[in-house]
Amino acid sequence: QNKNMFNIAKYFQKFTKIAESNLDSNNKIINAIKNISGLTIEGKNFGLQDGVLRFNLNPVQKNEIFMRKSKILSELNSLGSGVRDIR
C-alpha cells in the first residue's frame, strides 16, 4: 500500500509542475503586456493555445496590444513564454 501512495504522490506531482509552469507563463505574459503597453490584465483576460495568444478584452485594450504586437512578441520570445503569435 505504501508503494501505491508513492505512485499517487508522483502522479499529482506532475500536475503540480504543469500548474506552476502555466502560472509562470501567465505571469510572463501579464508582465510583458504591462511593461510594453501599460495595460494591467489578468489571467482570465487571455488564453494561450498552440503558441497563439488570444485576448478577451475591450476593443480599445486590444488595439493597444495590437499596436505593440511586435514588441510584445519579441519580449515574450526572449522570456521563453512559448507565444508565437497574438490574435
Side-chain angles (χ1 to χ4, degrees):
Q1 187 176 21
N2 198 15
K3 185 178 179 182
N4 286 340
M5 292 300 282
F6 176 74
N7 289 338
I8 291 170
K10 200 172 187 179
Y11 178 75
F12 282 116
Q13 194 173 32
K14 289 180 187 178
F15 288 104
T16 301
K17 287 181 182 178
I18 291 170
E20 287 173 357
S21 174
N22 288 344
L23 183 60
D24 184 49
S25 182
N26 282 359
N27 285 336
K28 287 177 183 177
I29 293 167
I30 290 168
N31 289 331
I33 298 293
K34 183 169 183 143
N35 291 340
I36 295 168
S37 72
L39 292 175
T40 302
I41 63 170
E42 299 177 21
K44 67 181 181 183
N45 297 126
F46 63 88
L48 178 62
Q49 184 175 6
D50 299 326
V52 178
L53 186 59
R54 297 180 192 274
F55 292 94
N56 182 19
L57 299 167
N58 69 49
V60 173
Q61 291 171 316
K62 282 184 183 179
N63 281 340
E64 289 293 323
I65 290 170
F66 285 109
M67 287 181 355
R68 295 167 179 84
K69 179 179 175 177
S70 62
K71 284 185 178 182
I72 293 169
L73 280 174
S74 178
E75 174 78 11
L76 291 173
N77 286 333
S78 73
L79 295 172
S81 67
V83 176
R84 292 181 291 109
D85 196 11
I86 297 175
R87 295 187 191 152

